[in-house]
Amino acid sequence: MGEAEHPLQAYLDALYLKYKPLSEGKLASYIPELAKADPDCFSICIVTVDGQIFEVGNADQLFTIQSISKVFVYGMALAEHGREKVLSKVGVEPTGDPFNSIIRLDEYSKRPDNPMVNAGAIATTSLIQGTDPTDRLNRMLDMFRNYIGHDVYIDMSVFMSERSTGHRNRAMAHLMRHFGMIDANIDEALDLYFQQCSLMVNCCDLAVMAATLANKGVNPITGDRAVPSHCIRDILSVMYTCGMYNYAGQWAYQVGIPAKSGVSGGILAVIPNQVGIAVFSPPLDANGNSVRGIKVCEDLSHQFELHMFDLPMGCSHFLQTLENKP
Ligand code: DON
């Protein structure tokens, strides 16, 4: 007789069937490669901090990580420079504007609002250290490899498309150079930003990356450290407040989990000390978030009371801590 299916696997299978028929949303179309994605592709993966993997759907389907990369490059910049230096170049305030907004980059603010919107992400990428562009790229790929647990590659056609169409990003980079927020060579910093967006991952890779953040920076499958543990609080804080573009406030209110989305249709979410969650489904809503991804995360949060402020768990933990004090 076969082993009984784990209840979490049964739940994910049911969740998949529930949202598979959803047909809302539009594919990103600013570059041809993203417009060619299969709108029916849908996968969910959960990885626990003790290394168990639960998946459903086309979890091996590769796609480019896009904006989700911003989380990890922010962690790398924090690890290399420390909080104060990074804060002097990139703030931590949610914008309430779309991810590619240029509106708040003006004489008054100068500093980009946060590392999860394009302006802040480009400034963050410009901080990555290395002797030359190849060294910086290799160091970044090493960082991603530690999170994912295997060799990683850049999708060259996506990179070339991002690079040749990214005029708005280029404009932001020039403005930030003018304001002194970027010291590095602009073209090199932009190339590295377009390369990080073009990193290829699948849904399981994303869940392992999320689980690594949940596991204080150590990949739960390989045991390799990807980021120092002292950076985790800062990374999760900006994910919580700024990770879902101009839906970030509603997300924090309704779902209550640190998360990050990307234009190719991925969402990565972190339940600290418990699990990493990833969903991939390319059709996006008006905010640029995966339609099925939002539904799945809402469902998971409600079903398992995963909201950060679902009080029963938080309260008892706090009281236990007090009781244990001498
Ligand atoms: O910078 C760009 O235009 C894209 N590579 C941004 C990627 C992304 O996922 C932003 N958001 N949804």
Side-chain angles (χ1 to χ4, degrees):
M1 228 169 72
E3 265 184 56
E5 191 177 41
H6 192 287
L8 180 56
Q9 186 62 51
Y11 173 76
L12 288 188
D13 291 345
L15 202 55
Y16 177 82
L17 291 177
K18 181 173 174 187
Y19 293 117
K20 178 82 177 146
L22 255 191
S23 59
E24 291 153 40
K26 283 199 184 122
L27 297 174
S29 56
Y30 70 95
I31 53 172
E33 289 78 7
L34 293 181
K36 278 189 272 182
D38 176 2
D40 292 328
C41 195
F42 178 30
S43 46
I44 310 170
C45 184
I46 293 187
V47 174
T48 65
V49 293
D50 61 2
Q52 299 176 70
I53 302 175
F54 301 90
E55 62 179 73
V56 59
N58 328 52
D60 297 334
Q61 173 67 47
L62 289 170
F63 53 95
T64 51
I65 190 169
Q66 295 292 350
S67 276
I68 298 173
S69 64
K70 293 168 180 170
V71 167
F72 303 96
V73 178
Y74 184 58
M76 191 173 176
L78 285 170
E80 287 183 1
H81 298 279
R83 182 189 287 161
E84 293 314 314
K85 165 78 191 276
V86 177
L87 265 181
S88 72
K89 302 288 182 188
V90 189
V92 288
E93 289 302 329
T95 64
D97 295 325
F99 66 91
N100 57 0
S101 178
I102 205 160
I103 301 167
R104 287 163 60 89
L105 263 187
D106 55 25
E107 289 294 340
Y108 301 101
S109 56
K110 291 191 173 75
R111 193 178 58 154
D113 289 281
N114 71 67
M116 301 292 120
V117 292
N118 285 9
I122 294 165
T124 305
T125 300
S126 78
L127 293 172
I128 298 308
Q129 294 175 325
T131 49
D132 55 40
T134 310
D135 186 43
R136 283 189 281 276
L137 174 62
N138 283 334
R139 294 187 65 255
M140 188 181 274
L141 292 177
D142 281 345
M143 176 274 291
F144 280 118
R145 188 180 301 120
N146 286 332
Y147 274 102
I148 294 175
H150 58 75
D151 279 345
V152 289
Y153 301 94
I154 304 277
D155 182 321
M156 273 309 282
S157 51
V158 172
F159 165 58
M160 293 307 283
S161 277
E162 295 276 357
R163 186 180 203 241
S164 58
T165 60
H167 303 298
R168 198 179 172 97
N169 286 330
R170 231 167 260 286
M172 287 192 252
H174 278 275
L175 258 182
M176 290 189 289
R177 180 83 169 84
H178 168 72
F179 293 137
M181 289 296 139
I182 292 189
D183 303 323
N185 176 306
I186 295 180
D187 292 320
E188 290 176 4
L190 281 164
D191 273 357
L192 192 56
Y193 170 73
F194 295 134
Q195 283 158 345
Q196 74 180 61
C197 289
S198 308
L199 186 90
M200 288 192 288
V201 290
N202 64 32
C203 192
C204 270
D205 294 334
L206 278 190
V208 173
M209 296 169 92
T212 301
L213 291 175
N215 195 34
K216 302 183 185 72
V218 174
N219 181 317
I221 312 287
T222 62
D224 290 336
R225 177 163 290 285
V227 64
S229 58
H230 69 266
C231 300
I232 297 290
R233 194 188 84 170
D234 295 350
I235 298 170
L236 295 183
S237 299
V238 290
M239 286 173 70
Y240 191 73
T241 52
C242 313
M244 302 298 285
Y245 308 119
N246 34 339
Y247 189 69
Q250 276 188 72
W251 175 271
Y253 189 83
Q254 282 167 2
V255 182
I257 303 173
K260 183 74 195 89
S261 58
V263 277
S264 50
I267 295 184
L268 166 152
V270 179
I271 315 293
N273 303 318
Q274 296 188 57
V275 295
I277 301 169
V279 189
F280 173 59
S281 168
L284 307 178
D285 63 19
N287 297 312
N289 294 319
S290 166
V291 174
R292 289 192 186 101
I294 295 271
K295 288 283 181 204
V296 165
C297 292
E298 280 176 359
D299 216 302
L300 276 164
S301 172
H302 297 156
Q303 182 72 24
F304 296 102
E305 299 187 336
L306 297 176
H307 194 294
M308 290 289 116
F309 308 125
D310 272 333
L311 284 178
M313 196 178 72
C315 246
S316 61
H317 173 72
F318 176 63
L319 292 176
Q320 269 165 17
T321 313
L322 282 179
E323 277 161 16
N324 291 341
K325 279 200 190 306

